[in-house]
């Protein structure tokens, strides 16, 4: 199934990887689910990917099968103690996917960073040491607009904003977009919005369809064509420590995220698709 869905990827690799933050200060929008499964899908499509868990809850770490309690050295040490991330990267069971893990100590990182020079650029400096070894680095941001998230946005080339197809979908989005504008003007002028990603879509619900229309009306070309549907298998996968592609490659969730990965590759001119290789909508 994976082979059928796989796109023909150009052999040329960029000398430097693209860093994409997945951010939304609102919880429960599918941020971690997107980080894990987009990273896995890009890996399946033959790109070398690093998943960075920048959330103290460490859900991305456990979601790819690594027990956060077993993590001795994490992104916290990279930020606070200037440990080279190359020395602590973990290889996962998912093809072409590595992990820079998190643990609960990351909660204290923001306090320790307050008095450090260039505090907003610490993660950028850390990831710069390994950026050229990956095609993509996906950062799972914490559900806040604190210093760690600010670091993630400053380190990134672009940001994906998950928006759930539910009531109050646009709540708080203005605040996030304003934060992104501040980062663009003061810290990282190269930061762009990769796209708004509609998640938790249920075709049976009128509300879901209304949210899709509203978001597309407001943001137009900023919205990804791919929509992530509600899917039982997608919800089950993290409890098994597996990405959706490893858990059930034929599920709607897997197909959705492979479509998203392909859309990102096309947008960044990193793929060539034959007509016969395009994924059929589900």
């Amino acid at each position: 199934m994976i082979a059928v869905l796989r796109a023909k990827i150009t052999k040329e690799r960029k000398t430097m990887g693209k860093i994409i933050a997945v951010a939304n200060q609102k919880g429960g929008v599918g941020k971690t689910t997107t980080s894990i499964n987009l990273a896995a899908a890009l890996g399946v499509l033959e790109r070398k990917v690093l998943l960075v868990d920048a959330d103290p809850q460490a859900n991305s770490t456990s979601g790819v099968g690594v027990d956060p309690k077993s993590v001795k050295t994490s992104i916290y040490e990279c930020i606070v103690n200037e440990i080279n991330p190359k020395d602590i990267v973990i290889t996962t069971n998912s093809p072409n996917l590595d992990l820079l893990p998190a643990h609960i100590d990351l909660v204290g990182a923001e306090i320790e960073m307050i008095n450090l020079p260039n505090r907003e650029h610490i993660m950028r400096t850390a990831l710069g040491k390994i950026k050229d070894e990956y095609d993509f680095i996906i950062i799972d941001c914490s559900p806040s607009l604190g210093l760690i998230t600010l670091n993630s946005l400053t380190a990134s080339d672009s940001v994906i904003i998950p928006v759930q197809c539910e009531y109050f979908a646009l709540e708080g989005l203005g605040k996030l977009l304003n934060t992104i504008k501040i980062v663009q003007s003061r810290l990282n002028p190269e930061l762009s919005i990769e796209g708004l990603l509609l998640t938790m879509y249920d075709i049976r619900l009128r509300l879901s369809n209304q949210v899709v229309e509203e978001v597309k009306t407001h943001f137009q070309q900023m919205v990804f064509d791919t929509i992530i549907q509600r899917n039982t298998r997608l919800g089950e996968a993290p409890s098994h420590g597996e990405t959706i592609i490893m858990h059930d490659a034929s599920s709607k969730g897997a197909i959705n995220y492979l479509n998203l990965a392909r859309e990102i590759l096309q947008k960044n001119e990193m793929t060539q698709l034959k007509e016969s290789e395009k994924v059929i909508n589900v």
Side-chain angles (χ1 to χ4, degrees):
M1 186 67 184
I2 293 176
V4 174
L5 296 169
R6 187 173 290 167
K8 180 181 179 181
I9 307 297
T10 52
K11 298 297 182 183
E12 298 83 4
R13 290 182 56 183
K14 290 189 173 183
T15 55
M16 296 281 282
K18 180 166 190 177
I19 302 180
I20 303 177
V22 182
N24 193 327
Q25 80 276 17
K26 191 176 179 186
V29 298
K31 178 180 56 60
T32 296
T33 298
T34 293
S35 300
I36 292 171
N37 294 303
L38 171 59
L42 288 166
V44 167
L45 295 178
E46 299 176 5
R47 291 289 160 174
K48 190 166 174 55
V49 186
L50 176 66
L51 174 62
V52 177
D53 192 348
D55 185 347
Q57 297 176 80
N59 289 334
S60 279
T61 298
S62 61
V64 293
V66 177
D67 182 0
K69 294 178 182 177
S70 70
V71 174
K72 304 300 181 185
T73 313
S74 72
I75 189 172
Y76 168 82
E77 282 75 20
C78 296
I79 292 172
V80 176
N81 300 325
E82 299 183 7
I83 297 293
N84 192 325
K86 188 183 298 187
D87 298 332
I88 63 170
V89 163
I90 298 171
T91 302
T92 74
N93 293 327
S94 191
N96 301 313
L97 177 60
D98 290 344
L99 170 72
L100 188 56
H103 58 54
I104 193 63
D105 283 356
L106 193 57
V107 170
E110 293 200 5
I111 297 172
E112 297 187 48
M113 291 166 67
I114 287 175
N115 296 318
L116 294 177
N118 295 317
R119 62 185 183 183
E120 295 90 356
H121 295 270
I122 296 173
M123 190 179 296
R124 184 184 190 124
T125 301
L127 295 182
K129 298 173 183 176
I130 54 171
K131 187 176 182 180
D132 60 349
E133 298 187 18
Y134 294 93
D135 295 304
F136 287 96
I137 297 177
I138 308 295
I139 306 176
D140 180 19
C141 298
S142 61
S144 72
L145 293 179
L147 196 49
I148 298 292
T149 298
L150 201 59
N151 259 262
S152 300
L153 294 174
T154 303
S156 297
D157 299 301
S158 65
V159 56
I160 292 173
I161 304 171
V163 179
Q164 82 279 32
C165 295
E166 295 179 357
Y167 198 59
F168 294 135
L170 301 181
E171 187 182 60
L173 195 54
K175 189 174 181 181
L176 175 60
L177 293 173
N178 187 54
T179 299
I180 291 171
K181 284 182 181 179
I182 292 171
V183 171
Q184 289 170 328
S185 63
R186 300 180 186 176
L187 299 169
N188 182 7
E190 303 302 317
L191 180 67
S192 65
I193 295 177
E194 192 77 24
L196 275 71
L197 176 66
L198 290 158
T199 62
M200 304 179 187
Y201 174 75
D202 189 335
I203 195 171
R204 301 167 298 177
L205 300 180
R206 181 185 298 175
L207 178 60
S208 282
N209 293 297
Q210 288 174 340
V211 170
V212 170
E213 289 179 18
E214 186 177 4
V215 172
K216 287 189 173 181
T217 298
H218 275 83
F219 299 101
Q220 301 177 3
Q221 298 302 315
M222 289 170 63
V223 185
F224 284 110
D225 292 332
T226 302
I227 296 176
I228 308 302
Q229 301 179 35
R230 279 197 179 277
N231 179 242
T232 303
R233 303 296 275 170
L234 199 55
E236 290 174 353
S239 65
H240 296 275
E242 295 177 332
T243 68
I244 185 58
I245 296 171
M246 298 295 288
H247 187 62
D248 186 350
S250 63
S251 67
K252 285 184 179 180
I255 293 171
N256 288 164
Y257 278 109
L258 283 161
N259 275 336
L260 176 63
R262 184 176 289 103
E263 188 175 346
I264 289 171
L265 289 173
Q266 287 178 298
K267 183 176 181 179
N268 289 278
E269 299 180 346
M270 296 174 71
T271 183
Q272 296 175 346
L273 290 179
K274 294 180 181 178
E275 195 66 33
S276 61
E277 293 176 321
K278 292 182 180 178
V279 173
I280 298 173
N281 290 330
V282 293

